[in-house]
C-alpha cells in the first residue's frame, strides 16, 4: 500500500481519511490498492495528505536570487578572463623577447661586427619598442601609464577621483596589456606584474559596470551618499588578487596582496577571493599544458616566471646573517623610494606636454641600452662548469636555462669559448632568466681549492645592482605601464647574492647563495612595498620553497621596520604625488593619536552657513551653494533655527547629495522662493559626539565605508561633519612623522626656483637626520650599557616617558600684563590650536614670533580674550585647560618665567 510504505504517520493519515463503513476494504472489494485509495479518501483529507507529504518530501534545491547568482558567476568570469589575459601577455612578451634575442642580441655579442654598428642596432631596436609602448598609450588611453597599484589601492581605500573615470575602461585595459608587453620587451628596468594587477581590476569593473548590476549594488549599499560603492570595490579586490595570481603563480599570495592593499575586508570576501584565485591558477596551468601539448610554448619561458621553481635548504644557524641582510635591504629600498619621489617631482615639469613625455621614454630606453652595452666590458670572465660549450647554458645548476654568451669580451684569454662574461649574463638575458641565474647558479666555491671560482663576482653583482637601482628608479613613473615587482626581485637578488659571496669569503660554512638571493629579494620588497604576508607567500609559492618561509617572514618584518623609520612605502608616496586622498591613520602615527588625544572636534569641518542647507531653501541659495562648494559631494541639512545668525542651532536632519540638489534646482528653478529639501534628504545611519576619539572615527570610516560622518551634540544640533578630506588633513598635519606633504611642497618650490639638485636636500633630508640620530643613539646606548646595564635601561624608559609627556605640554604665562601661549619647540609640527588663533584675533593682537625651529612658539593673547574661548573650539583636552582658564586663575609670576598650568583646574 502506498501510505503504509511511508511509516506510522502514513497509517494514521490513511485511517483518518477512510470513508466510514469500510473496515477491511481489501478483503471485501478485492480491488487494486491504488484504486481503493482514490475512492476511499473523503472530502477534506487532501489538506492532511499535503501536510504529510511536505513533511516527508525532500525539498527542491535552493535557487539563489539573481543578483547573488550573477555575483558568483562574475567571479568565475573574472578569474578565467584574467588568467587567459595573463597567459596571452606572457606569450606576447616571450615571443617578442625571443625575436629580439634571435635577430639582435646574438648579433650584439658577435665580436666580428663593428662595435658602433652593434650598439646602434641594440639601442635602436630597444628604442623602437619603447616608442611603440608609449605611442600605444598615447593613441588608446594615456590613463594606462604607471603600474596601477597606487590607484587601485586608493580606490579600495574609498578614494573618489575624476581620474578613475578613465582608469577602469576597456580602452585602458587594451592599452595596459599591449603597452606593458612592449615596454618589458624593450629591455627597460620595469616589470609587467603591477600592470597585470591593474588589468584584472579593470576586468572586474567591466563585469560589474553594466547598468543593472550598478543598480543592484546601489540598492545594497543601504546608505547612499554616506558610503562609497562597496560591492564594486569588492570586485576590484578580487580582480587584483587574480592579477597577482596570474603573474606569480601564487594563489594564496594573490589573496594576501588584495587583503593588504584593502582597508575594508570581510570574511566572505576572503572566501570569494580564494575561489577566484583557485580558478585562475587552474586556468593558467591548463593553458600551459594545452600549449605544450601542441608544441607551441617553448618560447613562453623567455621573460616569464611561470617556469621558475627552486627549493633551498634551511640553515637556521645563519639567522643572524639573514637579519643583517634584512636591515641592509630595508634601507636600500627606502632610499629607492625617496629618490624615485624626487625623480617624479622633476618629471612634473613636462608632465602636461605629451610629446615631451613620449620623448622622455625614448631617452630612458636609449640611456638604458647604452649602460647595458657598456657594463659587460667591465665584467669578469668566469670559466664554464658544464661540459657543454656553446652559446647556451654552461653553468651547472638545477633548471638553469639562461644564456651565458660564451667568449663575449673574453677574447684575451686562451680558449675563450670556455669562459663566459658574468655581467653579460645579467644584462642580455630576459628577466626570467636573470632571476634563474641569480637564484639557481651555484657559487662553485670550495674551501682550500685555488681553482674554485664564483659564478658571479661581488664587483659585478654590486655594479649591475647599483646601475639597475638607478635605472629602475628613473623608469618608474614615466609614461609607460611600468611595474616594480620584477625589478625588486632582480635588485634584491643581486644584493642577497653579493652578501652571500661575502659570507663565503669570510669562511661562513654551508652558505647557499641562491637562498640569500631569495632573502635579499624579500628584504628589498619588504622595505619598498611594506607588505609582509603577501610578499612572503608570493616568494614562497613562486619558488616552491616552503622551508624558507620562516626566514622570509623574519626578513620582511625587519626590512619593513627599517623602512618605516625613514619614510612610507613607494605606493603611499605615489598616491601623495597624484593627490589621491588615501586615509591610513592606523599606519601613520597610531601612537601619536593616543598622545595627542585627537577627537572629532579636532577633525571635523565646522558647521558653516555656506556649507549647510536648511530644510527649506530658495533656488538662489542652492545655486550659490553649488557654485561656492564645487568640491563638496554632499551638504548637511538642518531645521531652520530660531536665530538664523547661529546656523549651529538647527537640528540635524541628514545629508543631501550634490546630484539631488541639482535635480531639485532643475525641477523648481532658480526663481523659486521655497524648495523643500526633505524629499531628497538621506538620514544618517550613524552620528558621533564631538568628543569621539579619532581611532573610533577611523574604524567607522574605514570599516563601514562611510564618506561622511555627522558630528551631533546630544540635543540634535549639528556641530560639523567628518569627511575623508578632514581625515587626510589631520593625518598630514599632526600624524605624519615624516611630513611627506611638506617635503613634497618644499621640493616643488625649489624646483620651481630652478634648484634641481638643491631640491634633494642631501644635507638635511629625513634620511640624513634619522640616520645620524640613530647612529648617535646606538653609540650612546652601547656605551651606557657597557657601563651600567640596569641604569641604562632605567634611563631609557624614563626618557621615553618624559618625551611623551613633553609632547602634551602647553603653557600659559603672564608677561607684561598679557597672557602668552607657549608651544614647546618639540611640538611645533602640531600647529597653532584654532582656539588660540580665535582668542588672538578677538584681542586684535595677531602677533606670533616664528623664530627658528629650536625656539618655542609664542603668541600674545589679551587676558580678557582667554576666558572667551568657547569649549567647542578647543582642539584637544590637553589644550582645553590652559586655554579655558579664567583670567583670575592665571599663574602670577614676578619674574615672568613660564609655568605649567595645573591640569586639574
Amino acid at each position: 500500500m502506498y501510505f503504509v510504505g511511508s511509516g506510522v504517520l502514513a497509517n494514521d493519515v490513511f485511517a483518518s481519511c477512510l470513508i466510514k463503513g469500510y473496515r477491511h476494504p481489501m478483503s471485501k472489494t478485492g480491488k487494486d490498492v491504488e484504486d481503493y485509495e482514490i475512492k476511499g479518501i473523503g472530502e477534506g483529507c487532501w489538506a492532511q495528505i499535503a501536510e504529510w507529504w511536505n513533511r516527508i518530501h525532500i525539498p527542491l534545491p535552493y535557487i539563489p536570487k539573481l543578483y547573488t547568482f550573477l555575483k558568483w558567476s562574475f567571479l568565475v568570469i573574472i578569474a578565467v578572463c584574467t588568467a587567459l589575459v595573463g597567459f596571452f601577455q606572457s606569450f606576447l612578451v616571450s615571443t617578442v623577447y625571443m625575436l629580439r634575442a634571435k635577430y639582435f642580441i646574438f648579433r650584439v655579442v658577435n665580436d666580428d661586427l663593428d662595435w658602433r654598428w652593434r650598439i646602434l642596432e641594440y639601442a635602436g631596436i630597444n628604442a623602437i619598442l619603447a616608442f611603440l609602448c608609449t605611442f600605444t598609450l598615447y593613441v588608446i588611453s594615456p590613463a594606462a601609464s604607471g603600474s596601477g597599484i597606487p590607484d587601485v589601492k586608493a580606490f579600495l581605500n574609498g578614494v573618489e577621483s575624476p581620474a578613475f573615470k578613465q582608469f577602469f575602461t576597456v580602452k585602458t585595459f587594451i592599452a595596459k596589456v599591449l603597452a606593458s608587453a612592449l615596454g618589458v620587451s624593450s629591455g627597460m628596468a620595469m616589470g609587467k606584474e603591477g600592470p597585470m594587477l591593474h588589468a584584472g581590476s579593470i576586468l572586474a569593473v567591466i563585469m560589474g559596470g553594466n547598468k543593472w548590476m550598478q543598480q543592484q549594488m546601489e540598492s545594497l549599499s543601504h546608505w547612499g551618499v554616506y558610503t562609497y560603492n562597496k560591492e564594486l570595490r569588492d570586485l576590484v579586490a578580487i580582480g587584483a588578487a587574480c592579477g597577482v595570481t596570474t603573474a606569480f603563480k601564487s594563489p594564496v599570495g594573490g589573496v594576501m596582496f588584495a587583503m593588504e592593499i584593502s582597508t575594508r575586508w570581510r570574511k566572505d570576501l576572503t572566501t570569494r577571493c580564494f575561489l577566484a584565485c583557485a580558478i585562475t591558477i587552474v586556468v593558467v596551468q591548463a593553458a600551459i599544458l594545452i600549449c605544450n601539448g601542441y608544441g607551441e610554448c617553448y618560447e613562453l619561458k623567455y621573460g616569464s616566471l611561470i617556469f621558475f621553481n627552486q627549493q633551498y635548504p634551511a640553515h637556521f644557524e645563519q639567522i643572524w646573517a639573514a637579519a643583517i641582510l634584512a636591515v641592509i635591504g630595508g634601507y636600500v629600498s627606502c632610499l629607492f623610494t625617496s629618490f624615485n619621489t624626487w625623480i617624479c617631482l622633476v618629471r612634473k615639469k613636462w608632465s602636461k606636454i605629451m610629446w615631451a613625455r613620449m620623448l622622455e621614454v625614448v631617452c630612458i630606453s636609449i640611456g638604458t641600452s647604452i649602460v647595458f652595452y657598456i657594463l659587460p666590458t667591465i665584467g669578469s670572465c668566469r670559466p664554464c662548469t658544464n661540459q657543454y660549450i656553446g652559446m647556451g647554458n654552461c653553468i651547472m645548476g638545477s633548471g638553469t636555462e639562461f644564456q651565458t654568451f660564451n667568449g663575449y669580451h673574453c677574447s684575451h684569454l686562451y680558449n675563450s669559448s670556455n669562459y663566459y662574461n658574468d655581467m653579460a649574463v645579467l644584462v642580455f638575458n630576459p628577466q626570467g632568466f636573470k632571476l634563474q641565474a641569480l637564484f639557481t647558479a651555484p657559487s662553485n666555491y670550495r674551501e682550500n681549492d685555488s681553482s674554485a671560482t664564483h659564478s658571479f663576482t661581488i664587483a659585478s653583482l654590486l655594479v649591475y645592482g647599483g646601475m639597475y637601482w638607478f635605472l629602475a628608479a628613473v623608469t618608474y613613473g614615466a609614461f609607460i605601464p611600468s611595474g616594480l615587482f620584477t625589478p625588486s626581485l632582480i635588485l634584491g637578488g643581486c644584493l642577497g647574492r653579493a652578501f652571500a659571496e661575502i659570507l663565503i669569503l669570510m669562511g661562513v660554512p654551508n652558505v647557499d647563495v641562491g637562498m640569500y638571493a631569495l632573502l635579499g629579494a624579500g628584504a628589498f620588497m619588504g622595505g619598498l612595498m611594506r607588505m609582509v604576508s603577501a610578499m612572503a607567500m608570493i616568494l614562497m609559492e613562486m619558488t616552491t620553497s616552503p622551508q624558507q618561509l620562516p626566514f622570509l617572514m623574519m626578513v620582511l618584518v625587519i626590512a619593513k621596520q627599517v623602512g618605516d623609520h625613514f619614510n612610507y612605502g613607494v605606493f603611499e608616496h605615489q598616491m601623495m604625488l597624484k593627490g589621491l586622498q588615501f586615509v591610513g591613520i592606523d599606519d601613520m602615527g597610531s601612537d601619536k593619536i593616543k598622545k595627542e588625544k585627537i577627537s572629532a572636534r579636532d577633525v571635523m569641518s565646522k558647521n558653516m552657513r555656506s556649507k549647510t542647507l536648511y530644510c527649506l531653501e530658495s533656488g538662489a541659495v542652492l545655486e550659490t551653494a553649488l557654485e561656492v562648494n564645487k568640491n563638496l559631494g554632499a551638504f548637511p541639512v538642518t531645521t531652520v533655527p530660531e536665530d538664523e545668525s547661529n546656523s549651529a542651532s538647527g537640528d540635524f536632519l541628514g545629508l543631501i547629495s550634490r546630484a539631488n540638489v541639482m535635480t531639485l534646482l532643475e525641477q523648481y528653478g532658480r526663481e523659486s522662493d521655497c524648495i523643500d529639501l526633505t524629499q531628497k534628504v538621506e538620514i544618517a545611519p550613524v552620528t558621533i559626539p564631538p568628543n569621539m576619539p579619532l581611532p573610533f572615527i577611523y574604524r567607522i570610516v574605514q570599516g563601514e565605508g562611510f564618506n561622511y560622518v555627522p558630528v551631533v551634540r546630544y540635543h540634535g544640533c549639528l556641530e560639523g561633519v567628518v569627511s575623508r578630506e578632514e581625515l587626510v588633513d589631520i593625518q598630514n598635519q599632526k600624524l605624519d612623522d615624516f611630513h611627506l606633504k611638506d617635503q613634497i611642497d618644499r621640493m616643488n618650490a625649489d624646483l620651481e626656483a630652478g634648484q634641481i639638485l638643491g631640491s634633494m636636500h642631501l644635507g638635511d633630508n629625513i634620511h640624513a637626520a634619522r640616520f645620524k640620530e640613530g647612529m648617535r643613539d646606538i653609540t650612546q646606548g652601547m656605551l651606557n650599557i657597557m657601563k651600567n646595564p640596569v641604569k641604562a635601561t632605567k634611563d631609557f624608559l624614563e626618557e621615553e616617558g618624559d618625551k611623551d609627556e613633553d609632547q602634551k605640554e602647553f603653557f600659559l604665562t603672564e608677561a607684561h600684563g598679557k597672557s602668552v601661549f607657549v608651544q614647546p619647540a618639540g611640538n611645533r609640527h602640531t600647529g597653532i590650536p584654532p582656539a588660540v588663533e580665535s582668542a588672538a584675533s578677538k584681542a586684535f593682537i595677531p602677533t606670533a614670533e616664528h623664530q627658528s625651529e629650536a625656539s618655542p612658539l609664542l603668541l600674545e593673547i589679551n587676558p580678557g580674550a582667554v576666558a572667551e574661548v568657547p569649549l567647542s573650539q578647543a582642539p584637544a583636552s590637553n589644550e582645553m585647560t590652559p586655554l579655558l582658564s579664567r583670567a583670575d586663575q592665571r599663574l602670577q609670576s614676578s619674574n615672568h618665567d613660564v609655568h605649567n598650568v595645573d591640569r586639574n583646574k
Side-chain angles (χ1 to χ4, degrees):
M1 183 179 293
Y2 182 79
F3 291 114
V4 174
S6 300
V8 179
L9 178 61
N11 290 329
D12 294 340
V13 174
F14 179 75
S16 62
C17 293
L18 290 178
I19 297 176
K20 295 180 180 180
Y22 290 92
R23 295 183 178 179
H24 304 284
M26 296 181 65
S27 60
K28 291 184 178 181
T29 62
K31 294 184 178 180
D32 187 81
V33 173
E34 294 183 1
D35 182 58
Y36 170 78
E37 288 175 352
I38 295 175
K39 294 183 178 180
I41 298 177
E43 296 180 1
C45 292
W46 288 110
Q48 299 182 34
I49 297 175
E51 180 182 359
W52 163 79
W53 175 258
N54 290 333
R55 292 177 64 181
I56 69 168
H57 187 60
I58 300 175
L60 294 175
Y62 170 72
I63 301 178
K65 295 182 179 179
L66 181 59
Y67 174 74
T68 304
F69 174 75
L70 290 179
K71 183 171 67 174
W72 286 89
S73 300
F74 284 171
L75 182 148
V76 177
I77 297 174
I78 292 170
V80 174
C81 292
T82 304
L84 294 178
V85 169
F87 178 81
F88 167 77
Q89 186 188 45
S90 295
F91 190 83
L92 180 60
V93 171
S94 303
T95 302
V96 177
Y97 251 135
M98 184 197 66
L99 296 175
R100 173 173 167 266
K102 182 177 180 181
Y103 294 103
F104 295 97
I105 301 298
F106 290 159
R107 287 174 56 85
V108 169
V109 298
N110 187 354
D111 291 332
D112 296 334
L113 299 177
D114 184 71
W115 68 270
R116 286 165 293 205
W117 181 251
R118 285 183 290 168
I119 191 173
L120 182 63
E121 283 189 356
Y122 182 63
I125 186 60
N126 291 340
I128 291 174
L129 291 172
F131 174 77
L132 292 176
C133 170
T134 186
F135 185 74
T136 301
L137 298 184
Y138 171 71
V139 172
I140 302 178
S141 176
S145 63
S147 69
I149 296 180
D151 307 80
V152 172
K153 186 173 182 178
F155 184 79
L156 294 178
N157 185 255
V159 175
E160 297 288 350
S161 173
F164 290 156
K165 294 181 180 179
Q166 301 297 326
F167 189 73
F168 296 106
T169 61
V170 178
K171 294 172 60 177
T172 303
F173 171 78
I174 297 174
K176 198 80 174 184
V177 174
L178 296 179
S180 62
L182 293 171
V184 172
S185 302
S186 68
M188 289 190 291
M190 56 176 285
K192 61 182 177 64
E193 290 74 25
M196 192 63 239
L197 179 146
H198 182 196
S201 302
I202 295 176
L203 286 175
V205 174
I206 294 174
M207 292 292 103
N210 61 80
K211 187 175 181 180
W212 185 86
M213 281 292 292
Q214 287 182 345
Q215 292 176 351
Q216 297 297 318
M217 291 178 181
E218 290 176 1
S219 64
L220 288 176
S221 64
H222 300 296
W223 299 112
V225 70
Y226 291 95
T227 60
Y228 52 75
N229 195 330
K230 296 179 288 187
E231 294 291 327
L232 182 60
R233 282 168 167 80
D234 289 349
L235 289 178
V236 170
I238 294 172
C242 294
V244 175
T245 301
T246 303
F248 290 105
K249 201 176 64 173
S250 173
V252 180
V255 175
M256 300 302 294
F257 190 90
M259 187 182 299
E260 290 205 58
I261 65 173
S262 301
T263 50
R264 177 184 176 272
W265 196 265
R266 307 180 314 280
K267 185 182 297 184
D268 64 315
L269 186 56
T270 304
T271 305
R272 294 166 63 190
C273 260
F274 262 103
L275 177 61
C277 291
I279 296 174
T280 301
I281 194 62
V282 169
V283 174
V284 169
Q285 296 285 16
I288 296 173
L289 291 176
I290 294 173
C291 191
N292 286 331
Y294 286 95
E296 301 293 337
C297 284
Y298 177 77
E299 299 86 0
L300 194 61
K301 64 183 179 181
Y302 287 87
S304 175
L305 298 178
I306 292 178
F307 294 94
F308 180 72
N309 294 292
Q310 181 70 22
Q311 295 188 5
Y312 307 101
H315 298 291
F316 289 96
E317 70 277 3
Q318 300 174 13
I319 196 77
W320 59 273
I324 296 175
L325 177 61
V327 173
I328 299 173
Y331 185 71
V332 172
S333 57
C334 71
L335 281 178
F336 179 97
T337 300
S338 296
F339 181 67
N340 174 256
T341 302
W342 178 77
I343 290 291
C344 291
L345 288 173
V346 175
R347 184 176 284 132
K348 280 190 174 183
K349 296 176 69 68
W350 57 82
S351 60
K352 296 182 180 180
I353 307 174
M354 187 57 67
W355 66 265
R357 300 176 68 184
M358 298 173 65
L359 180 62
E360 179 201 5
V361 173
V362 176
C363 292
I364 292 175
S365 175
I366 295 175
T368 302
S369 300
I370 294 175
V371 170
F372 282 175
Y373 182 84
I374 294 175
L375 283 179
T377 62
I378 60 175
S380 176
C381 293
R382 321 306 297 167
C384 290
T385 61
N386 197 348
Q387 294 180 354
Y388 173 73
I389 304 300
M391 289 295 292
N393 172 21
C394 83
I395 299 179
M396 186 73 70
S398 60
T400 55
E401 300 183 32
F402 49 85
Q403 302 291 322
T404 51
F405 308 105
N406 299 5
Y408 183 60
H409 281 292
C410 298
S411 57
H412 61 284
L413 297 175
Y414 174 74
N415 197 7
S416 60
S417 60
N418 290 337
Y419 292 84
Y420 69 94
N421 191 313
D422 61 348
M423 191 73 80
V425 174
L426 298 174
V427 167
F428 294 129
N429 271 300
Q431 291 178 341
F433 284 6
K434 292 179 184 179
L435 292 174
Q436 286 190 18
L438 291 172
F439 288 11
T440 64
S443 174
N444 300 330
Y445 178 81
R446 294 179 298 277
E447 191 173 1
N448 300 324
D449 187 352
S450 59
S451 64
T453 183
H454 305 273
S455 297
F456 300 95
T457 62
I458 298 175
S460 296
L461 290 169
L462 294 180
V463 170
Y464 176 79
M467 294 305 303
Y468 201 89
W469 182 95
F470 175 81
L471 294 172
V474 173
T475 304
Y476 186 69
F479 190 57
I480 50 175
S482 57
L484 278 179
F485 281 105
T486 301
S488 300
L489 292 172
I490 294 175
L491 289 170
C494 289
L495 176 64
R497 191 175 182 101
F499 183 79
E501 298 287 0
I502 294 175
L503 293 179
I504 293 176
L505 294 178
M506 292 172 57
V508 178
N510 300 324
V511 174
D512 190 299
V513 291
M515 182 194 78
Y516 279 94
L518 176 65
L519 297 181
F524 194 91
M525 297 178 78
L528 185 69
M529 304 177 187
R530 313 295 165 83
M531 297 180 182
V532 177
S533 58
M535 295 300 106
M537 293 306 302
I538 288 174
L539 291 172
M540 190 268 288
E541 291 182 292
M542 185 186 74
T543 58
T544 62
S545 183
Q547 299 90 345
Q548 294 303 314
L549 187 58
F551 286 91
L552 287 171
M553 295 168 65
M554 183 200 69
V555 165
L556 284 163
V557 170
I558 295 176
K560 179 183 181 301
Q561 294 301 319
V562 171
D564 288 341
H565 188 70
F566 294 96
N567 56 14
Y568 299 118
V570 64
F571 300 141
E572 283 74 20
H573 279 243
Q574 288 294 318
M575 285 187 287
M576 182 69 74
L577 291 171
K578 294 182 178 183
L580 300 173
Q581 294 183 339
F582 180 83
V583 177
I585 297 178
D586 59 339
D587 295 327
M588 304 173 90
S590 57
D591 294 335
K592 297 187 76 174
I593 297 178
K594 301 176 182 178
K595 297 175 183 177
E596 298 288 344
K597 296 184 179 179
I598 302 174
S599 60
R601 63 167 53 91
D602 306 303
V603 181
M604 69 182 184
S605 59
K606 297 284 194 313
N607 182 19
M608 302 171 59
R609 182 66 181 97
S610 60
K611 296 183 178 181
T612 304
L613 300 176
Y614 297 148
C615 55
L616 300 175
E617 291 282 12
S618 64
V621 173
L622 297 182
E623 187 178 51
T624 303
L626 292 173
E627 182 67 24
V628 173
N629 305 288
K630 294 183 178 180
N631 297 326
L632 200 60
F635 298 87
V637 180
T638 65
T639 59
V640 180
E642 297 179 0
D643 182 10
E644 294 193 17
S645 62
N646 183 13
S647 60
S649 61
D651 291 338
F652 177 68
L653 298 179
L655 288 182
I656 183 171
S657 66
R658 185 181 187 87
N660 285 334
V661 173
M662 296 174 66
T663 301
L664 292 174
L665 192 59
E666 293 176 359
Q667 181 179 352
Y668 293 96
R670 184 185 186 281
E671 295 76 14
S672 177
D673 295 331
C674 184
I675 300 178
D676 184 9
L677 303 183
T678 57
Q679 53 186 316
K680 295 290 186 179
V681 169
E682 299 181 35
I683 301 175
V686 62
T687 60
I688 61 175
N691 61 346
M692 172 72 77
L694 184 58
F696 292 95
I697 303 174
Y698 173 76
R699 294 171 193 168
I700 292 173
V701 172
Q702 297 294 73
E704 299 300 328
F706 284 106
N707 282 330
Y708 303 96
V709 182
V711 182
V712 180
R713 279 185 287 179
Y714 65 94
H715 50 76
C717 292
L718 179 67
E719 288 284 321
V721 176
V722 176
S723 65
R724 176 174 294 273
E725 183 178 359
E726 283 76 40
L727 289 175
V728 172
D729 288 342
I730 200 71
Q731 172 180 290
N732 294 335
Q733 294 173 8
K734 290 190 174 184
L735 303 179
D736 186 358
D737 285 333
F738 307 113
H739 309 289
L740 179 58
K741 188 176 184 304
D742 294 338
Q743 290 187 56
I744 292 176
D745 293 341
R746 184 173 65 163
M747 285 191 288
N748 269 327
D750 293 338
L751 291 172
E752 291 294 332
Q755 302 176 4
I756 297 179
L757 294 179
S759 62
M760 298 180 69
H761 298 281
L762 296 177
D764 61 344
N765 58 26
I766 188 68
H767 285 277
R770 290 292 179 93
F771 187 81
K772 294 177 182 177
E773 177 186 352
M775 293 302 296
R776 183 179 65 251
D777 293 343
I778 291 174
T779 304
Q780 187 63 39
M782 292 298 294
L783 293 175
N784 294 337
I785 291 175
M786 291 173 62
K787 293 179 180 178
N788 191 335
V790 177
K791 185 178 183 301
T793 305
K794 181 180 178 181
D795 293 343
F796 175 78
L797 296 176
E798 291 178 353
E799 181 183 356
E800 288 295 316
D802 295 340
K803 182 179 179 181
D804 295 345
E805 188 66 24
D806 289 341
Q807 292 181 352
K808 301 178 182 179
E809 295 296 340
F810 291 88
F811 302 96
L812 187 69
T813 185
E814 182 177 347
H816 304 289
K818 296 179 181 179
S819 296
V820 180
F821 173 80
V822 182
Q823 188 177 34
N827 209 14
R828 286 288 298 277
H829 63 274
T830 59
I832 305 174
V836 177
E837 291 183 322
S838 174
S841 61
K842 289 181 181 179
F844 300 102
I845 310 177
T847 302
E849 297 194 15
H850 294 275
Q851 303 171 12
S852 65
E853 290 294 330
S855 302
L857 176 62
L858 306 177
L859 187 63
E860 296 182 359
I861 303 177
N862 187 283
V866 178
E868 297 176 7
V869 179
L871 178 65
S872 60
Q873 294 185 15
S877 59
N878 60 327
E879 301 173 16
M880 290 180 192
T881 302
L883 296 175
L884 299 178
S885 297
R886 298 179 182 178
D888 58 349
Q889 291 180 333
R890 294 192 309 273
L891 297 179
Q892 303 296 329
S893 176
S894 57
N895 57 0
H896 309 304
D897 289 335
V898 175
H899 296 275
N900 188 7
V901 176
D902 186 0
R903 299 182 184 278
N904 295 327
K905 294 182 181 181

